[in-house]
Amino acid sequence: MQKAPAKPKKPSSKAPPAKPRYAAVRISQEASWLSFNRRVLEQTRRPDFPLLERLRFLGIWASNMDEFFAARISRAFLETRGSPGYRGLMAEARAQAEEAEARYSEFLRDLEPLGIHVLEPTQLTKAEKQYFGAYLAEKVAPRTDLIPPEAIPELSSGALYFAAGEGLLQHLIRLPESLPRLLAIPGREGGYVRLGALVRMRSDLFLPSRSPLFEFRLVRIAQLERSRTDWDDLPEALEARMDGKVSHLEIEADFPDHWAETLRVALQLEPEEVFRLDPPLDLRLVGTIVAEGPAKERFAPLEVEKPKGFIKDPFTFLDRRDLLLYHPFEDYGMVEAFALAAARDPKVEALRATLYRIGRENGIAEALILAAKAGKNVAVLLEGRARFDELSNLEWSLRFQGAGVQVLPLPDKKVHAKALYVRRGEREYVHLGTGNYNPINGRLYTDLSLFTAEPRLTSDVHSFFSALESNQPPTLHLLRTASAIREVLLEGIRGEAHKKGEILLKFNHLTDPAILEALEEALSAGAKLHLIVRSTLTTLWEGVDSKSLVGRFLEHARVAAFKNRGKWQVWAGSADAMPRNLDGRYELFFPILDPKARRKVRSILERQIADDRNTYILTPAGQTARWGGKHNGQRL
């Protein structure tokens, strides 16, 4: 029986789902950050940088890599250890370490024409050997620990160790971290010798008998046991911080295999977490050469601009208009001068400040102490949980309290905002910034500073400090803090989700899933997107202008600009677009209200978009350097 012909199918009323216009490629935070550190390492080959500046980047790379294994690897170490993705991270870190090792050897040859030589002990004269023998006996040996192998699980993070023994591993030597790793040779200008090499030469000063020595060092996961600690608990928490698990071991290339295995097993490491490298194992030592080498092989000092009329009378200046500065091209010293003027002005009644990484010497902190001693009402939120700066801040807390400055209790959320508040009679003045109140960073990092007497901003800053003083969540009207920063960014991005939309974002890190999803939707709707992300970007799109700037100065400003149908909205602040910053911290994001200041920020962003001298283009296929062009985005 013949089958009846099939009835033709009716066309479906449902259209197939549209493919996204831009296909996203996701990258882990750890992998993205390692890509950034590779960009740092590649600065050692910049043809337009002086030799010592290229060498400086080798030291920066080494410091970054220690931070990677101490902090940034922690999530992957605890959750994905042993997976293919984790082993890929270790392979990339190892590849960078081997390249850095090769670059160090090349630098030693490049330094010779400058009269700079890092010598081996065998190249020293008899008199020089005698001097360094005495130096080891007087300065080093009394401060050096001799450790039994049973104590391997307790070894310190970051210290330089030696292993020794006859057959079996019998002795461990820990060099004091307070001593420089690179020593100048007296009477031989430009001559240096490594402390580790000298110790190897005179092992008899450190061991019961002369024996070959082999270098190694390890890194532990650094973590405060109490992430919500207050000042009374901080000292105990700091004592326990470096008790984290070992995440990384470096051993010198000739390290005996059976000793290496003893260390690996005792430290509970996987094989891929152990790197064999030629000494020196800690390349931060190149900082000595950079600091002491000839000035002609470093960048010429920057000619810093100073705003006219501000320093003489900042309060009268701000009564007329806002001031926006772009550091370091415009003087960071104006921030310190503003604080000092407030401290000295008899009409100023109260000062408030958030302080995060302020360093050992700080003009703003000294101004606050001066103000308190003059009888003014002064309070600070000094963040005791600023990673690796806790001890310095603990010292400052004691100095503040001794001078009569009120040190506010730490709230549940870390305070990363950058705000300085002054009440002068009936008027209020504030400074809001994107960078730390730190004089060193203020001259090496690119950041924005806004000085204003605009009541809508100053009243919000006053409310912010009042909330911190009463240990309450801040309620703000125009400024944004905590998760409200995400909301203002999402609002701006969604408002540009059309064919004439345009978005400019500049962050150190952009990893927030909601923001990345909104960007993808805006792209699919036809918006034009410019991303300038220094370090970590966890989504990449082919055809999108995603870039990273790495150059003489560390890019640090956080800015968001939205075209808003021709009436540009511009925001800046302390927060990176990461869940950690938006959900777990009190940051501050502020609108740039003054038209002149708004145009200035947009001009800075547009020059960085056009940069072809310090740029890496980031795509799903990798990263490509753009050097040697005419457009330098790292300028005013």
Side-chain angles (χ1 to χ4, degrees), residues 451-526:
F451 300 85
T452 184
E454 162 60 52
R456 291 175 292 172
L457 298 178
T458 60
S459 63
D460 262 2
V461 175
H462 179 266
S463 297
F464 181 75
F465 279 108
S466 295
L468 294 179
E469 290 181 51
S470 59
N471 203 20
Q472 298 293 321
T475 301
L476 309 178
H477 295 93
L478 193 57
L479 271 67
R480 297 292 186 270
T481 189
S483 59
I485 297 173
R486 178 188 288 112
E487 296 308 314
V488 80
L489 291 173
L490 291 176
E491 181 182 348
I493 293 167
R494 289 165 181 163
E496 301 300 315
H498 53 85
K499 291 183 179 180
K500 293 185 179 180
E502 189 169 357
I503 303 164
L504 288 75
L505 297 181
K506 176 178 171 61
F507 289 102
N508 302 329
H509 309 280
L510 174 51
T511 68
D512 187 75
I515 293 173
L516 290 167
E517 183 179 347
L519 289 174
E520 193 163 333
E521 292 172 358
L523 281 168
S524 297

Side-chain angles (χ1 to χ4, degrees), residues 426-446:
E426 299 297 318
R427 297 282 285 166
E428 295 176 311
Y429 305 85
V430 300
H431 170 269
L432 294 164
T434 65
N436 296 309
Y437 288 130
N438 182 303
I440 297 176
N441 295 356
R443 292 166 176 85
L444 296 176
Y445 292 10
T446 67

Side-chain angles (χ1 to χ4, degrees), residues 352-408:
R352 298 288 186 270
T354 56
L355 301 176
Y356 193 71
R357 299 188 190 280
I358 63 174
R360 304 285 298 180
E361 298 179 3
N362 191 284
I364 293 174
E366 296 291 355
L368 295 170
I369 289 173
L370 181 65
K373 288 182 176 179
K376 302 183 190 300
N377 180 348
V378 184
V380 300
L381 193 296
L382 177 63
E383 182 49 75
R385 297 156 297 191
R387 190 170 63 200
F388 303 128
D389 281 68
E390 298 94 347
L391 184 59
S392 174
N393 287 358
L394 183 59
E395 179 182 337
W396 274 110
S397 75
L398 297 175
R399 292 184 61 185
F400 282 140
Q401 293 174 63
V405 176
Q406 181 187 0
V407 178
L408 301 179

Side-chain angles (χ1 to χ4, degrees), residues 18 47 61 89 96 99 164 189 210 279 284 398 544 593 615 627:
W61 172 88
L89 294 174
Q96 290 187 30
E99 183 174 338
E189 186 176 354
R210 189 182 292 271
R284 291 178 298 175
L398 297 175
V544 173
L593 301 177
T615 287
W627 294 345

Side-chain angles (χ1 to χ4, degrees), residues 330-359:
E330 293 175 299
D331 192 8
Y332 171 80
M334 296 299 100
V335 184
E336 296 178 326
F338 175 67
L340 186 59
R344 290 174 171 170
D345 191 321
K347 295 182 180 180
V348 169
E349 302 165 0
L351 295 92
R352 298 288 186 270
T354 56
L355 301 176
Y356 193 71
R357 299 188 190 280
I358 63 174

Side-chain angles (χ1 to χ4, degrees), residues 178-247:
S178 58
L179 294 176
R181 294 288 180 261
L182 198 62
L183 302 172
I185 302 172
R188 194 191 289 234
E189 186 176 354
Y192 298 91
V193 63
R194 286 196 309 113
L195 177 62
L198 292 171
V199 171
R200 190 190 301 261
M201 175 188 72
R202 291 298 310 273
S203 63
D204 57 304
L205 294 173
F206 304 91
L207 296 172
S209 61
R210 189 182 292 271
S211 174
L213 300 178
F214 300 90
E215 293 183 34
F216 72 95
R217 66 190 295 267
L218 56 93
V219 180
R220 291 182 181 273
I221 300 289
Q223 54 191 1
L224 284 178
E225 292 300 319
R226 299 176 180 87
S227 62
R228 296 182 176 181
T229 188
D230 207 339
W231 288 105
D232 292 341
D233 304 314
L234 186 59
E236 183 182 347
L238 282 174
E239 289 180 12
R241 177 171 68 182
M242 298 311 292
D243 291 342
K245 293 183 177 181
V246 176
S247 60

Side-chain angles (χ1 to χ4, degrees), residues 326 448 502-506 528 530-532 545 547 549 555 559-563 566 568-570 596-613 615 626 630-636:
Y326 183 36
L448 293 171
E502 189 169 357
I503 303 164
L504 288 75
L505 297 181
K506 176 178 171 61
K528 189 174 183 180
H530 301 280
L531 294 181
I532 305 172
D545 189 8
K547 66 187 333 182
L549 266 65
E555 291 295 327
V559 187
F562 308 105
K563 190 173 184 180
W568 281 88
Q569 293 180 336
V570 179
K596 184 177 179 181
R598 204 160 49 232
R599 289 193 297 271
K600 182 175 181 177
V601 175
R602 280 186 55 211
S603 176
I604 292 168
L605 292 176
E606 288 165 359
R607 282 199 303 275
Q608 296 205 335
I609 289 168
D611 181 281
D612 54 10
R613 289 178 60 176
T615 287
R626 285 187 181 172
K630 298 180 180 179
H631 304 287
N632 182 4
Q634 287 205 328
R635 63 180 179 82
L636 184 63

